[in-house]
Every structure is written in structure tokens, then in C-alpha cells.
Amino acid sequence: MFEPKREFITTAETILFVSTLFMWIYIAQTFVFIDSFQSLFLTPSWWLMLPVMTFVLFLRSFIGRRINLDWTDDEEEQELDQKQR
């Protein structure tokens, strides 16, 4: 029958990844200059959390989808093996 195409990366994941890169570039040049470990905890450096959280969302989506696809493939293979017997 019809087998869905397995995509390497979805559109939403691509948007998250690219936006993370652009946020790093923009924030690093505009908002934050970290010259010591102490300045990492000042209020302007909180802007660094935005690209970090966006990248975490990307990783969670990308890796989670890979794990789900692997599990469903294993289950489908087992079902096909049982049907063939």
C-alpha cells in the first residue's frame, strides 16, 4: 500500500534551527558582551536564554521524532512478520 515518505527534517524543525542561528548572531552582536563569568549572570545576558531554549525545542522535536519513527517501524515490521506466517 501507500508508505509515507520519511523526512529527514520537517519544516517546523528547520524554522527552529535557522531562527536559533540568526538569534545567536543578532544577540551576540547587539545585546550581550560577556567578558567574565560574573557578567554571564547579569540581566542583559538573559537574552541568551532565548536561542538556547529555541535550540532545545529543535533538538526535542528532531530526536523525539526519530525515536518515534524507529519504534513505529519496529512495530510495523513485527506486524508484517506475523501476518506473513
Side-chain angles (χ1 to χ4, degrees):
M1 292 248 198
F2 178 72
E3 190 171 315
K5 182 181 174 186
R6 292 180 60 174
E7 297 178 5
F8 177 71
I9 190 168
T10 63
T11 305
E13 292 167 349
T14 304
I15 292 170
L16 283 172
F17 183 69
V18 171
S19 65
T20 301
L21 294 176
F22 281 109
M23 278 189 274
W24 276 115
I25 292 169
Y26 181 73
I27 290 172
Q29 290 181 351
T30 308
F31 289 109
V32 182
F33 180 72
I34 298 174
D35 57 352
S36 67
F37 184 72
Q38 184 180 8
S39 66
L40 183 62
F41 298 103
L42 298 175
T43 305
S45 64
W46 291 354
W47 280 100
L48 294 173
M49 290 304 296
L50 186 61
V52 168
M53 292 303 296
T54 308
F55 189 68
V56 167
L57 287 173
F58 160 73
L59 284 179
R60 183 179 180 274
S61 173
F62 184 74
I63 294 171
R65 191 172 52 86
R66 290 283 171 192
I67 290 172
N68 286 340
L69 282 176
D70 289 341
W71 282 348
T72 55
D73 288 345
D74 292 341
E75 291 173 358
E76 289 175 1
E77 287 177 10
Q78 289 175 358
E79 289 176 6
L80 287 175
D81 288 341
Q82 290 176 354
K83 287 181 182 178
Q84 290 176 353
R85 291 181 186 176

